[in-house]
Amino acid sequence: VSIINPFATLIELPNEIAHPRKSLLLLLNFIEVITYFFQYQREQIADETTGELFIKTHPNDIELAFKLLKNSLFRRADELSTTARGFYHWLNNFLTEAKTNQFTALDIRKAKAIHPRTLNRYLQELKLYSYVKVVGGNKHKGGYIYKLTEFGNQTDVQNKIEKSLQATLEKVQNQYKKEND
């Protein structure tokens, strides 16, 4: 059965999401799969000129797609790699439990079994994106002393994405109500 999404033009992704064209294509294809999955709950419509049967996407399909792909969209909005983000969360929890805001690479290696090159890669990525900064020490004696910055909070970005998706869903539902009244 063919699927038509009359709401595709209303779907917009937030500016915070990287690669918006690829992400939008992923989302639209996923909505199509969900519509196909629920094809027996949808009314089949016949095209008068060709006689081809098709079904229309329902706002519930779009809502389900947003719900299922929300974490994926959050990850696409994150500038850090998934592993570096996980390390950042672990580091934040570790420093909170230790009741300190400064650390060295040796402190991390004592607390967590991690290869030195992997740790160095994570610290370089966090430093590149200003999630940590060097506040002391040197390369040759004891290593650098790092401190977390306030930049690493992703909740603002996630809230913006959440609001944008909710606004898009409201537009779709309003359009559906107009068409069916």
Side-chain angles (χ1 to χ4, degrees):
V1 67
S2 296
I3 296 168
I4 294 178
N5 185 352
F7 311 109
T9 56
L10 298 175
I11 297 173
E12 296 174 5
L13 290 179
N15 295 332
E16 290 79 16
I17 295 178
H19 312 293
R21 288 173 54 189
K22 246 188 337 188
S23 300
L24 183 61
L25 185 61
L26 169 82
L27 182 62
L28 290 174
N29 286 337
F30 196 67
I31 290 169
E32 188 173 321
V33 167
I34 291 173
T35 303
Y36 182 77
F37 184 75
F38 288 110
Q39 65 181 313
Y40 294 109
Q41 285 83 15
R42 306 285 179 256
E43 177 187 352
Q44 288 190 347
I45 303 166
D47 187 353
E48 287 133 15
T49 57
T50 63
E52 182 184 12
L53 292 176
F54 66 91
I55 56 175
K56 287 185 178 181
T57 298
H58 193 272
N60 293 344
D61 302 335
I62 297 171
E63 183 176 7
L64 182 59
F66 283 174
K67 187 176 176 183
L68 293 174
L69 285 181
K70 191 185 316 180
N71 287 336
S72 177
L73 293 174
F74 287 163
R75 277 197 311 274
R76 285 181 175 266
D78 195 359
E79 60 196 0
L80 292 178
S81 64
T82 306
T83 53
R85 174 60 65 187
F87 174 74
Y88 177 77
H89 284 305
W90 176 87
L91 181 62
N92 202 5
N93 292 337
F94 170 72
L95 294 175
T96 303
E97 288 175 14
K99 296 185 174 121
T100 184
N101 61 355
Q102 294 184 348
F103 63 95
T104 63
L106 185 59
D107 295 336
I108 300 303
R109 290 196 41 230
K110 285 179 182 176
K112 183 176 175 82
I114 188 169
H115 194 277
R117 274 181 282 204
T118 305
L119 176 60
N120 187 38
R121 191 177 70 240
Y122 291 157
L123 290 174
Q124 291 300 320
E125 186 173 348
L126 292 174
K127 200 164 63 171
L128 177 67
Y129 290 112
S130 302
Y131 286 73
V132 298
K133 65 180 179 180
V134 176
V135 293
N138 64 41
K139 182 178 180 179
H140 303 291
K141 290 188 179 180
Y144 294 113
I145 299 172
Y146 297 95
K147 181 179 179 181
L148 288 181
T149 63
E150 298 299 317
F151 188 69
N153 193 352
Q154 278 291 96
T155 54
D156 294 339
V157 173
Q158 289 178 355
N159 287 339
K160 285 180 186 177
I161 293 171
E162 187 84 43
K163 286 179 184 175
S164 177
L165 293 178
Q166 194 61 38
T168 299
L169 193 57
E170 287 173 12
K171 282 195 284 186
V172 167
Q173 288 170 341
N174 290 338
Q175 181 71 26
Y176 180 76
K177 286 177 185 174
K178 282 182 189 176
E179 289 177 2
N180 293 319
D181 282 344

